[in-house]
Amino acid sequence: MPRRHLRVTGAAEAPLRAALRELRTRLDVPEEFPAGALAEAERAAAAPRLPDEDATGVPFFTIDPPTSVDLDQAMHLSRRAGGGYRVRYAIADVAAYVTPKGPLDTEAHRRVTTLYFPDEKVPLHPTALSEGAASLLPDQTCPALVWTIDLDADGRTASADVRRALVRSRAKLDYDGVQRDIDAGTAEEPLALLADIGRLREQLEVERGGISLNVPEQEVVEGPDGGTYELAYRAPLPADGWNAQISLLTGMAAAQLMIDSGTGVLRTLPTAPDGAVGRLRRTAKALDIDWPHHLPYAGLVRSLDPRLPHHAAFLQECTTLLRGAGYTAFSGGEVPELTTHAAVAAPYAHCTAPLRRLVDRYASELCLAACADAAPPEWVLAALPALPKEMAEGTRRGNAVERASVDIVEAALLKDRVGEVFDAVVVDVKEAEPAVGTVQLTAPAVVARIESGTAPLPLGERLRVRLARADPGEAKVLFTPA
């Protein structure tokens, strides 16, 4: 999943969208699937491997953006007799369609993740599966991995189990509608409980020292003349955060199951180095955000309002602290020393988005084996040692797409303002080249390269800068001191 949510609208022939098409060519993005993978997907869509258990009587529902059709997760929430809650979370069962070592599996290992561009996405699996047979679309019976997680009255996990079953989602909901119904008190209990459980899990996150980044979506809007662009933010709603807490809950339960079984693949993140936090402090200064030295990073993030543009811009930059995240595989009871994810502040695993991320299919199989007290499938154990490296390469490719997309969008926003002077703060300086660094503009909230010739740049200081170059075609934005 992308850390920075950029969305571009407008005609396909518009200059910005043309630059994004060129980017896909330059990065050699594999947009077309091989014929063998497409044929296997069509066959599997017509005849998946079906589980014995039937959970179609559970009225699951999905919560996604209105236009999404690659639906990985569906949920049903209820109260437990005697107190507490039961979370049923259905995850698309990609393994029911993909044959290990077959053409479809081979292509998934080549792609690793769905790639997100501001104007379109390049999927991990053919759309016959990811947007069709394997997607948890409403009124479609399909195989899934159904988690049952019981919580106590405080929202703490009491037990967790996962097994294969047939499911049938009853409704495709979106965040705006969910928030509206919950606020109005018209939501039925399985949906209304999302707020109760979500708030309890958010409080537990605070207690354990975790932090969720409510990163706004940026929409690049084409001007009336078709050649200029403006930037707008869509702030996440509370319902976005409550929904994310259900996924986090499941990822934490999966990690614990795998740790207890001695075989697994975790999503890990060490504590951010002081230098990274220092850079964020300089970014906060550039955006006029008050960050008292006694206030920890997590406390500051929770105080921000993503509806405010300068707070939204800072939350975008906070994603830089996630850059050290990786995947750690282990087996034979040799649990690694680092099992936690610093932002989650607990052991955590990716297992809830198998339509869009390769590793989730393997983590799910390991959790199924752990719950059944059985050995994992041989195809899983054979692939496990190479998974961290494959995921690292896929993440690197996704980051390259994200960085280049942001560069193109920022160049498009600024292309008619070359020569203008802006207020900025120097947030980073190259150690080997002190005349080269990075500036954060106050407005618009752009982060870009600066070159001062021979004079060292004043790290952390305010600076008037002149836009020297903004070329969407080459994804280049360059400033010089004014």
Side-chain angles (χ1 to χ4, degrees), residues 126-198:
T127 54
L129 297 181
S130 62
E131 298 181 3
S135 177
L136 303 184
L137 296 165
D139 300 321
Q140 173 170 281
T141 300
C142 52
L145 292 91
V146 179
W147 286 84
T148 301
I149 305 176
D150 285 342
L151 308 176
D152 66 16
D154 296 322
R156 301 181 191 277
T157 301
S159 65
D161 176 77
V162 61
R163 59 187 64 194
R164 285 193 156 93
L166 284 174
V167 300
R168 188 175 182 86
S169 174
R170 298 296 198 275
K172 180 179 183 292
L173 309 180
D174 63 77
Y175 294 106
D176 288 341
V178 166
Q179 191 68 56
R180 186 168 54 250
D181 289 348
I182 289 177
D183 289 346
T186 57
E188 296 182 6
E189 183 173 82
L191 178 60
L193 287 176
L194 179 65
D196 297 342
I197 295 171

Side-chain angles (χ1 to χ4, degrees), residues 244-291:
Q245 287 295 330
I246 302 300
S247 181
L248 280 170
L249 166 69
T250 308
M252 292 166 66
Q256 198 57 56
L257 278 174
M258 289 187 284
I259 290 171
D260 291 344
S261 73
T263 302
V265 56
L266 305 176
R267 182 63 164 164
T268 55
L269 176 66
T271 302
D274 290 340
V277 178
R279 186 184 189 280
L280 271 185
R281 283 193 173 275
R282 293 189 288 272
T283 302
K285 178 179 179 180
L287 295 171
D288 290 322
I289 292 173
D290 182 30
W291 187 351

Side-chain angles (χ1 to χ4, degrees), residues 89 149 157 201-202 205 208 211-213 241-255 341 343-344 346-352:
Y89 206 40
I149 305 176
T157 301
R201 296 299 303 178
E202 286 173 339
E205 181 178 74
R208 67 175 186 267
I211 180 67
S212 292
L213 288 176
W242 301 332
N243 188 50
Q245 287 295 330
I246 302 300
S247 181
L248 280 170
L249 166 69
T250 308
M252 292 166 66
H341 189 290
V344 181
Y348 175 62
H350 276 158
C351 66
T352 63

Side-chain angles (χ1 to χ4, degrees), residues 2-5 175 179 198 202 205-206 210-218 233-245 248 297-319 322 343:
R3 292 191 301 266
R4 191 177 183 115
H5 305 281
Y175 294 106
Q179 191 68 56
E202 286 173 339
E205 181 178 74
V206 173
I211 180 67
S212 292
L213 288 176
N214 294 318
V215 181
E217 180 181 89
Q218 291 177 282
Y233 289 101
R234 181 238 173 219
L237 299 165
D240 294 61
W242 301 332
N243 188 50
Q245 287 295 330
L248 280 170
Y297 162 73
L300 174 71
V301 169
R302 292 191 189 96
S303 73
L304 299 177
D305 184 349
R307 293 170 297 181
L308 302 177
H310 62 304
H311 285 195
F314 182 76
L315 285 166
Q316 297 282 6
E317 289 309 306
C318 285
T319 62
L322 303 178

Side-chain angles (χ1 to χ4, degrees), residues 10 33 42 57 82 119 155 161 181 202 211 239 241 262 275 299 306 333 376 423 441 470-471:
F33 282 89
E42 293 290 343
D119 59 336
D161 176 77
D181 289 348
E202 286 173 339
I211 180 67
D423 291 320
L441 270 62
D471 186 344

